[in-house]
Amino acid sequence: MLGQLVLWVKIANEASCGSPRWIGRGLSCVCIKRKGAYERICMNLTPVQEERLQRLKHRMKVYFDPSRRDHQEALKALWHATYPDQELQGLVSEQWKDMGWQGRDPSTDFRGAGFISLENLLFFAKTFSASFQRLLKKQCGNRATWEYPFAVAGVNITFMIMQMLDLQSTKPRTFIRAIFLQMLSEDEWAFDLLYCVAFVVMDKQWLDKNASYMDFNEVLKSTRTQLERELMLDDVMRIEDMPSYSLLC
């Protein structure tokens, strides 16, 4: 049943926050009310936004290649960041199942989101190690008998964020994308930070709903809704301003 997890995660693009009614109307800027005043959200990208968006798009297009040395090293780095006191027996090993991969070879689980999903997990492990370990070990709350597999859930979260932000489209189609691009111009690691927030939000939703394995898709949908709601808040100008950012430690 683990092999079906990625296939269940289908989130419709129309489930996004904000109105996309201005699509195709040739508008270069729209206004939304934030902090009690109207703020311009421009569709024409600044040079910094364009550069960082193209760099992020490139990351999103890279498939995991088990034959590449740098990809192998990144996978090893994830293991050592996750289990610093345990020696890795090999890139194909029963040990990987302990992290929540579906089989002995984690490279087969990256098909849905590519190499960036490994980068996201590694960023989470290194930047917020306490939160990463807490979620990995399912240390908080009343857990289900059938828990979500940690690593595979992480790959699905990357894919969900990619859909939500709609970064591969040639023209912006949602306010969420436009707002995120402003955040990206302030912090090149905005995508990775949003990933970490999304993971802790997903786990909180999981516990709040008393969810079990079969509920994963529904929990991920509600996670996306929560992220979109927070990104649209008046006082949220950076990922660090999101209320759920406080869940990280």
Side-chain angles (χ1 to χ4, degrees):
M1 295 189 68
L2 284 172
Q4 299 176 353
L5 182 60
V6 175
L7 298 178
W8 293 338
V9 183
K10 298 179 180 178
I11 303 175
N13 287 333
E14 61 265 25
S16 57
C17 190
S19 172
R21 306 263 181 217
W22 42 270
I23 298 173
R25 296 188 181 181
L27 301 179
S28 61
C29 292
V30 294
C31 293
I32 61 173
K33 195 170 185 180
R34 305 183 80 182
K35 286 194 171 182
Y38 285 95
E39 177 182 335
R40 285 160 59 92
I41 299 292
C42 292
M43 306 304 118
N44 295 330
L45 302 182
T46 67
V48 171
Q49 287 175 323
E50 181 65 34
E51 177 186 356
R52 291 184 174 179
L53 175 59
Q54 292 307 317
R55 195 174 302 159
L56 181 54
K57 281 185 174 182
H58 174 73
R59 290 177 62 196
M60 292 165 57
K61 291 179 181 178
V62 177
Y63 293 101
F64 183 85
D65 183 351
S67 67
R68 284 182 54 168
R69 182 64 178 270
D70 57 334
H71 289 199
Q72 295 174 6
E73 292 303 317
L75 198 53
K76 292 177 183 177
L78 176 63
W79 176 268
H80 294 306
T82 306
Y83 302 110
D85 300 323
Q86 294 185 35
E87 182 178 353
L88 178 63
Q89 296 173 0
L91 293 178
V92 178
S93 167
E94 291 291 330
Q95 289 175 294
W96 290 106
K97 294 181 181 180
D98 295 336
M99 197 186 296
W101 300 103
Q102 297 183 78
R104 300 176 68 249
D105 184 1
S107 68
T108 61
D109 290 330
F110 292 115
R111 297 190 186 109
F115 184 62
I116 192 174
S117 59
L118 173 55
E119 292 181 313
N120 288 159
L121 278 167
L122 187 54
F123 180 90
F124 189 17
K126 289 184 173 182
T127 309
F128 301 101
S129 58
S131 293
F132 181 89
Q133 291 292 333
R134 174 171 55 83
L135 269 58
L136 170 71
K137 298 172 182 177
K138 309 292 194 302
Q139 290 177 332
C140 294
N142 295 319
R143 314 303 304 203
T145 302
W146 278 19
E147 275 289 319
Y148 64 85
F150 177 80
V152 175
V155 174
N156 279 274
I157 289 170
T158 296
F159 184 69
M160 177 270 289
I161 296 173
M162 290 164 61
Q163 285 190 315
M164 179 181 76
L165 298 179
D166 193 32
L167 296 177
Q168 296 289 16
S169 63
T170 56
K171 294 183 179 180
R173 298 186 294 185
T174 66
F175 288 121
I176 294 298
R177 170 185 159 128
I179 290 170
F180 174 77
L181 289 179
Q182 287 201 326
M183 294 177 172
L184 189 63
S185 67
E186 299 295 328
D187 188 347
E188 189 169 6
W189 298 103
F191 186 93
D192 302 81
L193 286 171
L194 182 59
Y195 171 87
C196 298
V197 174
F199 217 134
V200 292
V201 168
M202 186 278 293
D203 189 74
K204 186 175 186 302
Q205 294 270 353
W206 181 273
L207 292 174
D208 290 347
K209 295 176 181 294
N210 294 313
S212 187
Y213 188 90
M214 296 294 289
D215 303 313
F216 182 81
N217 189 42
E218 190 61 37
V219 170
L220 204 57
K221 286 181 179 179
S222 63
T223 298
R224 172 171 171 166
T225 300
Q226 179 67 25
L227 295 175
E228 291 172 331
R229 185 182 300 118
E230 292 191 18
L231 287 169
M232 291 289 289
L233 291 175
D234 287 355
D235 296 329
V236 174
M237 302 297 165
R238 309 171 305 152
I239 300 299
E240 292 90 334
D241 297 330
M242 296 175 68
S244 292
Y245 185 85
S246 63
L247 297 173
L248 289 165
C249 57

